[in-house]
Amino acid sequence: MTNPSCIEAPLPKGVSDFLPETADKINHIAARIHQVFDLWGFRRMITPLLEFEEVLALGMGEELRGKTFRFDDRQTGRLLAIPPDITPQVARIVATRMHAQPLPHRLYYNGRVLRQAEMQSGRSREIFQSGVELIGLDAPEADAEMVAMAVEVLKNLGFSGFKIDLGQVGFYRGIMEASGLAPAAQFQLQEAISKKDVSAVRSILEAQPVPERVKEAILLLPRLYGGREVVDEARRAVTNERSLKALDNLSQVLEILDIYGVSDYLTVDLGEIRGLDYHTGITFEGFVPGLGEAVCSGGRYDDLTAKYGFPAPATGFAFNIMALLASLSKRPDVEASRSRDFLIFNQKDERREALEIAQQLRALGYSCARDIIKRDFESSFSYAKKMDIRWLLVIGAEECPADQVYVVRVADRRAITLPREALFEKSLDLKFDSQGENHG
């Protein structure tokens, strides 16, 4: 029910308020992701919300530059920018602040970025990212580590039936170099291939003087999708050194992923060329059943830190937490993340016992709030139910002696009486068996 006295307070398009129920779910998902990052030896860093635009622009391609929010800084007169992606920030920090430290750097982050979006697109301008960057390793094992971590996170979140699509942008670039096509024609082809539009690819090529062997390889790109056999098919279609070297690299990564035991989750997509201006080698995207957009994406970007004066190979990826939330929001463990443990309902006039019990429960790791408002049991119970609190702990209930407390399970109103000291045992076990009283 809306409050008729509230002022109108609209938000800009593409941003949202996240109420506690949703915020709890977001925190739960991020915590599960970070658990895996920590286990793999990555260290968290926090990047700033603002950057000088000309500094940030060094690490961004044209596409990201076009999506950046910019405004004037009153203090310096320089142009500021809200980062549309966190990876360029990490590259700047490593190049300018961490270059004297030994490599490799294993770093992870969690934060929000803002990107301009078309008014009609309906897309959010806020993106919640949790990602990792592995800087200083030019090895197939580093790329395989990123993919294996993505698989482990998705399994840790309870997904099954998901797929990680692997690509290699060097394969495409080698074909384009061999084609001799002008940049404008290459851009048209890139758009058509990214949409898997074979007829559009054929139409563009018919108007261009491309060697027949190269033309056949380009026409094959939208169909180079499937299992490991795709690598062999691609190898038969090209002769240029750059593409063949890219396929060798992809084969090495796939072999290492066999050792990780994650090959059943993998597909190969050599026609996936989004992010071409950003990446330099292996790329990948993660897809879960029932969702049309990627929940994670990343790949190798060996040229980025060099733009800030510190050449270093690098790879990384990030999860889109809101995409994960769209798939996970109804899962029991995510729903449970909204719950709190205890609400204390004090029927005594004196508050000391209630406050002491609350402190002791918190010391044991339970969330505990005291219902400070003076109201009856039914009102307090209703509040607990609406706030997703598991147990209503009644002090001074008529149903129990002075040294005992009365605990009501909010889900079904079943109640038990137990000694106060039992609350503070290391493994509190509230057994609401069939003998338990049903309050109310």
Side-chain angles (χ1 to χ4, degrees), residues 359-386:
Q359 284 183 298
Q360 287 174 286
L361 286 171
R362 292 185 200 113
L364 291 170
Y366 295 101
S367 59
C368 184
R370 190 171 85 80
D371 197 359
I372 299 173
I373 297 175
K374 284 290 183 183
R375 49 184 159 191
D376 59 25
F377 174 86
E378 283 301 324
S379 297
S380 191
F381 180 86
S382 175
Y383 174 81
K385 195 172 186 67
K386 289 176 181 177

Side-chain angles (χ1 to χ4, degrees), residues 230-279:
V230 168
V231 180
D232 296 328
E233 187 179 357
R235 199 181 299 277
R236 292 191 293 269
V238 296
T239 57
N240 75 83
E241 184 178 348
R242 186 170 188 179
S243 293
L244 290 170
K245 187 176 178 181
L247 292 174
D248 288 340
N249 171 252
L250 178 55
S251 294
Q252 289 175 304
V253 172
L254 288 168
E255 287 173 8
I256 298 167
L257 289 169
D258 276 343
I259 299 172
Y260 278 114
V262 301
S263 295
D264 289 346
Y265 299 101
L266 307 179
T267 55
V268 176
D269 188 357
L270 290 170
E272 178 49 68
I273 52 178
R274 283 174 287 189
L276 195 64
D277 60 342
Y278 191 87
H279 293 108

Side-chain angles (χ1 to χ4, degrees), residues 384-416:
K385 195 172 186 67
K386 289 176 181 177
M387 293 297 107
D388 290 301
I389 296 171
R390 292 185 179 94
W391 301 300
L392 185 62
L393 195 160
V394 183
I395 297 172
E398 295 177 2
E399 295 89 342
C400 58
D403 61 345
Q404 295 189 339
V405 291
Y406 192 65
V407 183
V408 182
R409 187 165 61 191
V410 174
D412 57 8
R413 297 182 72 103
R414 195 166 291 282
I416 57 172

Side-chain angles (χ1 to χ4, degrees), residues 173-370:
R173 288 199 178 116
I175 293 175
M176 287 299 105
E177 288 173 1
S179 73
L181 288 168
Q186 288 191 34
F187 179 78
Q188 285 182 304
L189 276 173
Q190 187 175 328
E191 290 285 300
I193 292 168
S194 66
K195 296 174 183 175
K196 310 293 186 188
D197 191 341
V198 178
S199 60
V201 172
R202 183 176 285 109
S203 176
I204 294 165
L205 289 174
E206 285 174 355
Q208 301 292 333
V210 179
E212 195 61 32
R213 181 71 187 268
V214 177
K215 187 179 292 187
E216 290 174 5
I218 294 173
L219 282 167
L220 191 61
L221 280 168
R223 299 195 296 270
L224 285 175
Y225 176 85
R228 195 166 302 193
E229 72 280 355
V230 168
V231 180
D232 296 328
E233 187 179 357
R235 199 181 299 277
R236 292 191 293 269
V238 296
T239 57
N240 75 83
E241 184 178 348
R242 186 170 188 179
S243 293
L244 290 170
K245 187 176 178 181
L247 292 174
D248 288 340
N249 171 252
L250 178 55
S251 294
Q252 289 175 304
V253 172
L254 288 168
E255 287 173 8
I256 298 167
L257 289 169
D258 276 343
I259 299 172
Y260 278 114
V262 301
S263 295
D264 289 346
Y265 299 101
L266 307 179
T267 55
V268 176
D269 188 357
L270 290 170
E272 178 49 68
I273 52 178
R274 283 174 287 189
L276 195 64
D277 60 342
Y278 191 87
H279 293 108
T280 60
I282 292 290
T283 61
F284 66 92
E285 291 184 309
F287 295 90
V288 299
L291 193 69
E293 62 177 312
V295 296
C296 68
S297 61
R300 180 159 289 278
Y301 56 95
D302 287 342
D303 300 332
L304 192 52
T305 59
K307 295 178 179 179
Y308 294 101
F310 180 66
T315 184
F317 73 100
F319 279 96
N320 182 333
I321 291 186
M322 298 312 293
L324 289 170
L325 179 65
S327 284
L328 291 171
S329 61
K330 298 303 181 185
R331 282 275 303 276
D333 58 325
V334 180
E335 281 288 303
S337 70
R338 302 164 50 188
S339 300
R340 299 297 182 266
D341 296 320
F342 287 101
L343 178 68
I344 295 180
F345 176 65
N346 187 15
Q347 290 188 324
K348 294 183 177 181
D349 293 331
E350 205 271 330
R351 65 174 67 93
R352 177 177 292 276
E353 183 180 0
L355 295 178
E356 287 177 348
I357 288 176
Q359 284 183 298
Q360 287 174 286
L361 286 171
R362 292 185 200 113
L364 291 170
Y366 295 101
S367 59
C368 184
R370 190 171 85 80

